[in-house]
Amino acid sequence: MAILDILCFPDKRLRTKATDIQTIDDDLRLMITDMFDTMYAAPGIGLAASQVNFHKRLMVIDVSEEKNQPLCFINPVITHKEGVEVMQEGCLSVPGFYENVERAESITVKALDKQGDTFELTTDGLLAVCIQHEIDHLDGKLFVDYLSPLKRNRIRSKLERQEKESANLKSRPASTL
């Protein structure tokens, strides 16, 4: 079990399109465990493998209050979308920012679980939004891409400034008393 580093916008690696997983083995199951540990520690409700610099079609989600309903999706594909809803979204790769995003109200997704068994899930509400959000990550898309260029650039500038400030603090010598 490990807590993985989460890539942050505007890191170009977040734009990498993930490829299908061909083999489900113990190494992949360990990655799934690490992704759940990372997501829960962040804390978040969803995490795509692309966010931890593993560019395979894998995502983990748990939208339950108790954090006891973990869902793993390998090679997920949305097979049906219906309706439209707007929900405020945030992202572990865009920390501290929340914006309204328009998504399908209900979806059907087909995927493999961590044993390699195919399953299909029809859902709506927060889980539907979260699945769409994480699949976007696997396709190299972020929720900020749904925003106006002005808002997206404002967020980029703030995150870049925070990154520089953080790097400056880390490079300072420790003060002596």
Side-chain angles (χ1 to χ4, degrees):
M1 292 195 265
I3 303 298
L4 307 170
D5 289 332
I6 298 173
L7 302 176
C8 287
F9 176 72
D11 193 308
K12 291 181 185 338
R13 294 172 290 181
L14 288 167
R15 301 303 185 170
T16 304
K17 189 169 168 78
T19 58
D20 281 346
I21 291 174
Q22 304 300 322
T23 305
I24 299 172
D25 57 14
D26 287 342
D27 288 339
L28 184 69
R29 283 187 274 279
L30 178 59
M31 173 59 80
I32 292 166
T33 299
D34 290 347
M35 286 177 61
F36 273 116
D37 290 345
T38 302
M39 179 188 74
Y40 290 133
I45 61 171
L47 185 67
S50 299
Q51 292 176 272
V52 293
N53 204 29
F54 181 67
H55 301 285
K56 298 292 183 182
R57 295 193 70 79
L58 168 64
M59 59 192 206
V60 297
I61 294 174
D62 188 343
V63 297
S64 69
E65 289 288 327
E66 302 80 18
K67 302 298 177 205
N68 63 356
Q69 296 175 22
L71 299 170
C72 173
F73 299 81
I74 298 170
N75 300 334
V77 176
I78 294 175
T79 59
H80 180 75
K81 293 182 179 185
E82 194 172 297
V84 175
E85 79 173 321
V86 175
M87 191 177 283
Q88 192 170 72
E89 292 186 28
C91 181
L92 296 175
S93 291
V94 188
F97 292 92
Y98 301 88
E99 296 288 341
N100 287 333
V101 177
E102 185 177 289
R103 302 230 185 233
E105 183 177 18
S106 66
I107 63 164
T108 300
V109 62
K110 187 175 182 180
L112 302 174
D113 63 19
K114 66 182 181 180
Q115 282 75 41
D117 297 324
T118 301
F119 71 96
E120 191 170 82
L121 174 68
T122 298
T123 189
D124 59 10
L126 182 59
L127 182 54
V129 167
C130 192
I131 290 168
Q132 292 171 84
H133 178 107
E134 300 309 330
I135 287 177
D136 274 355
H137 276 297
L138 301 178
D139 293 334
K141 188 172 185 176
L142 300 171
F143 92 97
V144 295
D145 297 338
Y146 292 91
L147 308 178
S148 71
L150 181 65
K151 279 188 178 180
R152 187 171 44 254
N153 287 334
R154 184 193 56 163
I155 291 170
R156 175 193 308 265
S157 295
K158 285 183 179 179
L159 288 174
E160 286 173 338
R161 190 169 42 251
Q162 288 172 3
E163 179 66 28
K164 283 180 186 175
E165 289 169 3
S166 176
N168 286 341
L169 287 175
K170 289 178 185 173
S171 66
R172 285 185 178 165
S175 6
T176 56
L177 298 176

